[in-house]
Amino acid sequence: MSRFRGSVEQPHAEQFIVGRVPSEVPLPAGRNEKPDREASAFSVAAVAGTPETSLHVFSTNPGIWDTTSASPADKNIFSAAAGVGRAKREKQNGHRARIIWLTGLSASGKTTIARALEQRLFELGCHTAVLDGDNLRHGLCADLGFSREDRQENIRRVGEVARLFLDTGTIAISAFISPYAADRDNIRKHVGDGDFIEVYVKCSLAECERRDPKGLYRKARAGLITGFTGLDDPFEPPAAPELVLDTEALTVNETVKIILEYLDNTGEPSGNIDGNCSSAVLTTETL
């Protein structure tokens, strides 16, 4: 059965937000002893549902601290098994969890597509979360700049957050320039087969400069911003992405339709689950 054509209505589509951990939530033992750069804790709260469904998640994934060795810097930190596994959550949600990673130049259309996709999936009763580059730099990654090292750390953190959502049975939609191929490949390497969907939001530099909704290209050309991706810092296009969306040729609705069709065709998880994430036939008219 297609993950997007189920028979059971989903009364409340659960969404998640990433934010700061409330002061009343105690940190795990020894957590506040780590350097600030390694002390990223993630609070995940259920927006829809009962208080019992609300949870605060701290990453216990072995790869969170050191993506090279995939083990924590402190050898006294151990992984904790989930009380409710991903398979059970996917069965309840009625769809497979995925990471949909939108990468492309600034102004290529990543956030616009992410929000439109989120809205459509929400309407279909799917459990979703959008991770947006600008938003996370106001909180989780506020301490990072735009050097190569900081950009790599930014994407590493986001990758770990996306993996947390994956474990909760959620479709995590990530919209980041993520200019370096190695950083994107590292996330793919650390998630299961078929869980990472790399979407290249393709748009020429000239068109991105023409759009320039935030005025960033104009500032970069004037020398007010340095290290700007596409101008004086490289963007490495994906070599073999799952999808390529040319936003100079496609409308927003058309890009969403392409992604939904990809999910529909590849969304069958291992095991048998009855789909709750129901939809009409995916046509431009229904989008």
Side-chain angles (χ1 to χ4, degrees), residues 57-69:
V57 178
F58 296 90
S59 177
T60 54
N61 190 297
I64 187 71
W65 306 119
D66 183 353
T67 54
T68 303
S69 61

Side-chain angles (χ1 to χ4, degrees), residues 11-69:
H12 295 288
E14 195 172 6
Q15 289 182 299
F16 297 95
I17 55 173
V18 177
R20 298 184 182 279
V21 180
S23 58
E24 66 271 16
V25 178
L27 290 174
R31 187 71 187 226
N32 56 6
E33 298 171 6
K34 299 192 69 62
D36 289 345
R37 194 175 180 83
E38 295 182 348
S40 302
F42 314 117
S43 171
V44 182
V47 176
T50 65
E52 288 76 19
T53 62
S54 296
L55 62 154
H56 296 284
V57 178
F58 296 90
S59 177
T60 54
N61 190 297
I64 187 71
W65 306 119
D66 183 353
T67 54
T68 303
S69 61

Side-chain angles (χ1 to χ4, degrees), residues 158-205:
V158 174
E160 292 297 338
V161 174
R163 289 171 66 189
L164 290 176
F165 279 115
L166 194 67
D167 289 341
T168 68
T170 302
I171 300 172
I173 307 166
S174 302
F176 292 82
I177 294 174
S178 44
Y180 309 130
D183 297 336
R184 302 189 301 266
D185 291 344
N186 193 52
I187 298 171
R188 182 190 294 273
K189 182 177 67 176
H190 283 87
V191 300
D193 184 40
D195 286 341
F196 185 81
I197 302 170
E198 188 174 31
V199 181
Y200 177 27
V201 183
K202 183 180 179 181
C203 187
S204 67
L205 177 61

Side-chain angles (χ1 to χ4, degrees), residues 1-253:
M1 177 183 294
S2 165
R3 292 310 93 216
F4 292 91
R5 295 190 180 91
S7 56
V8 182
E9 291 277 335
Q10 182 76 358
H12 295 288
E14 195 172 6
Q15 289 182 299
F16 297 95
I17 55 173
V18 177
R20 298 184 182 279
V21 180
S23 58
E24 66 271 16
V25 178
L27 290 174
R31 187 71 187 226
N32 56 6
E33 298 171 6
K34 299 192 69 62
D36 289 345
R37 194 175 180 83
E38 295 182 348
S40 302
F42 314 117
S43 171
V44 182
V47 176
T50 65
E52 288 76 19
T53 62
S54 296
L55 62 154
H56 296 284
V57 178
F58 296 90
S59 177
T60 54
N61 190 297
I64 187 71
W65 306 119
D66 183 353
T67 54
T68 303
S69 61
S71 62
D74 188 331
K75 301 304 179 185
N76 293 314
I77 297 176
F78 302 93
S79 294
V84 180
R86 173 180 166 186
K88 290 182 179 179
R89 293 181 183 276
E90 287 184 334
K91 182 177 179 65
Q92 185 177 74
N93 295 348
H95 62 80
R96 179 178 177 178
R98 314 291 279 275
I99 296 173
I100 302 172
W101 193 277
L102 304 172
T103 179
L105 292 171
S106 178
S108 59
K110 300 180 299 300
T111 298
T112 300
I113 294 171
R115 293 302 180 190
L117 177 61
E118 174 193 34
Q119 180 63 39
R120 187 63 180 130
L121 289 172
F122 178 79
E123 292 168 356
L124 300 178
C126 298
H127 295 232
T128 64
V130 171
L131 304 174
D132 179 75
D134 285 350
N135 289 351
L136 265 70
R137 279 187 174 272
H138 279 87
L140 177 65
C141 301
D143 59 317
L144 300 176
F146 290 90
S147 66
R148 187 180 185 93
E149 294 74 21
D150 279 0
R151 289 179 187 224
Q152 290 173 326
E153 172 62 10
N154 181 53
I155 297 306
R156 186 193 71 81
R157 292 183 190 181
V158 174
E160 292 297 338
V161 174
R163 289 171 66 189
L164 290 176
F165 279 115
L166 194 67
D167 289 341
T168 68
T170 302
I171 300 172
I173 307 166
S174 302
F176 292 82
I177 294 174
S178 44
Y180 309 130
D183 297 336
R184 302 189 301 266
D185 291 344
N186 193 52
I187 298 171
R188 182 190 294 273
K189 182 177 67 176
H190 283 87
V191 300
D193 184 40
D195 286 341
F196 185 81
I197 302 170
E198 188 174 31
V199 181
Y200 177 27
V201 183
K202 183 180 179 181
C203 187
S204 67
L205 177 61
E207 176 60 17
C208 289
E209 283 203 68
R210 187 195 68 78
R211 296 174 182 175
D212 201 13
K214 303 171 187 174
L216 299 179
Y217 284 99
R218 189 164 57 254
K219 289 181 179 179
R221 290 293 190 188
L224 301 177
I225 299 176
T226 58
F228 194 79
T229 302
L231 298 184
D232 52 353
D233 202 70
F235 175 79
E236 299 169 1
E242 279 69 21
L243 293 172
V244 177
L245 304 177
D246 185 345
T247 59
E248 292 183 74
L250 298 168
T251 66
V252 175
N253 279 350

